[in-house]
Amino acid sequence: MPVKKTAPDFILIFATLLLLAIGLIMVYSASAIWANYKFADSFFFAKRQLLFAGLGFAAMFMVMNIDYWIIKKWAKPLLIVCFILLIAVLIPGIGMERNGSRSWIGVGAFSIQPSEFIKLAIIAFLAKFLSEQQRYITTVKKGLFPSLGLVFLAFGMIMLQPDLGTGTVMVGTCVIMIFIAGARIAHFVVLGFLGLVGFVALVISAPYRIARITSFLDPWQDPQNTGFQIIQSLYAIGPGGLFGLGLGESRQKFFYLPEPQTDFIFAILAEELGFIGGSLVLFLFALLLWRGIKIALGAPDLFGSFLAVGIISMIAIQVMINIGVVTGLMPVTGITLPFLSYGGSSLTLMLMAVGILLNISRYSKI
């Protein structure tokens, strides 16, 4: 496409790298006690996070310098590969089971989570579909049904693991993209009703999900079981106050909050760095989202706009769900905090996604 390439968005780079640096520090701080107890190495999780940060940064730099229109060409093959991986993860002997979910493929401590990567693949494919078929998006047969059918197929496969949190982020992201593309409000009202019915059915079908809902409403009803995580999270956030207890001074990481380096890392951050530290992280996320919206609005074509919208929506939804869970505003679900939580697949995916945003920014009018 004959569009002049410029420098990438440096504000977006700044926000991303600062979040990444904070994340690396907090992963070590939150995990050191648990890592030393379990692996006799306080740097066990920090070293792996640093490794994946390096791989993710290299992927971000590479993607930033390859014209994003190539993604449109390879969107379908990439999505097919991700679907194959979703099938493979369900096969005994190939998929690895952790905490009741068969979501990983790998060897030993190093593994990938295919459900993370299909989020980005389906965003790319849907951006391609919507940019080519936008004139049909107000129709059910040629617009809404093909796009949502694919999304719910992926959601169904993710639920076989099961991983409701990742599936929810993916569906929410795709719904926002379809809405931005111009789908009818009436269709969304019907879909919203059907989605609510489906969500209730999913909750009822699994007793542990019902327990999570009841513990969300009153965690002190079962403080030693279903309400344990949220209570310990609130015990971490509360004492943090305005300035926190100090970096490395968390009390809840001493075997009170289970694996605090993952989904509940924000609770440890708030305990150690206080309201000021937590607000800084939220400000950086807001800065990242603002630049992403500017990039989407200034993209030279529909594909770039939809692709940027999808990436920004994915990040925003994950941040809102994770912070909501940690602060007791939402039921507990396994969603990582982008750039901060420990997890190789999630971190690599997010840095690749930012690389795509930076690529689009080189052609956007911002």
Side-chain angles (χ1 to χ4, degrees), residues 121-166:
I122 207 163
I123 286 171
F125 184 83
L126 193 57
K128 168 183 166 67
F129 177 84
L130 292 174
S131 63
E132 294 174 347
Q133 307 294 330
Q134 189 188 21
R135 62 188 181 277
Y136 298 120
I137 198 61
T138 55
T139 67
V140 174
K141 185 177 180 180
K142 292 185 177 182
L144 202 61
F145 182 76
S147 53
L148 282 179
L150 182 67
V151 172
F152 284 108
L153 173 62
F155 178 76
M157 295 181 67
I158 291 173
M159 286 307 300
L160 291 175
Q161 299 178 6
D163 188 352
L164 180 59
T166 300

Side-chain angles (χ1 to χ4, degrees), residues 5 34 66 86 91-92 101 116 129 147-148 164 190 283 303 333 351:
K5 184 186 292 188
W34 173 247
I66 299 174
L86 280 183
I91 301 173
S101 294
E116 286 288 340
F129 177 84
S147 53
L148 282 179
L164 180 59
V190 175
F283 170 76
F303 174 70
T333 186
L351 289 172

Side-chain angles (χ1 to χ4, degrees), residues 155-344:
F155 178 76
M157 295 181 67
I158 291 173
M159 286 307 300
L160 291 175
Q161 299 178 6
D163 188 352
L164 180 59
T166 300
T168 300
V169 172
M170 185 192 68
V171 171
T173 299
C174 294
V175 166
I176 291 174
M177 292 176 68
I178 293 168
F179 177 77
I180 294 296
R184 291 182 177 178
I185 298 295
H187 291 163
F188 276 98
V189 172
V190 175
L191 286 171
F193 175 76
L194 294 175
L196 180 61
V197 172
F199 180 77
V200 171
L202 284 172
V203 170
I204 294 174
S205 66
Y208 76 90
R209 294 189 189 121
I210 298 176
R212 285 183 176 181
I213 297 295
T214 56
S215 66
F216 159 68
L217 297 174
D218 184 9
W220 280 269
Q221 186 179 14
D222 189 8
Q224 296 298 319
N225 189 16
T226 57
F228 185 79
Q229 278 185 304
I230 184 59
I231 289 173
Q232 298 306 319
S233 178
L234 294 176
Y235 280 161
I237 295 171
L242 185 62
F243 298 104
L245 302 178
L247 185 62
E249 298 300 319
S250 166
R251 300 164 186 160
Q252 292 303 108
K253 66 185 179 184
F254 283 84
F255 310 110
Y256 292 103
L257 189 59
E259 297 194 47
Q261 73 277 4
T262 55
D263 302 342
F264 284 84
I265 195 169
F266 187 79
I268 302 300
L269 184 146
E271 184 183 14
E272 295 189 348
L273 304 181
F275 178 81
I276 300 297
S279 296
L280 172 62
V281 168
L282 294 180
F283 170 76
L284 290 172
F285 277 121
L287 186 63
L288 187 150
L289 297 177
W290 168 58
R291 297 312 296 175
I293 291 170
K294 292 277 289 183
I295 291 167
L297 291 173
D301 63 347
L302 282 176
F303 174 70
S305 292
F306 290 139
L307 189 58
V309 165
I311 291 170
I312 286 302
S313 300
M314 176 182 67
I315 296 173
I317 291 171
Q318 283 203 208
V319 171
M320 287 189 292
I321 292 178
N322 181 275
I323 300 297
V325 168
V326 168
T327 54
L329 298 176
M330 297 181 70
V332 174
T333 186
I335 292 292
T336 57
L337 185 60
F339 310 108
L340 271 76
S341 293
Y342 173 76

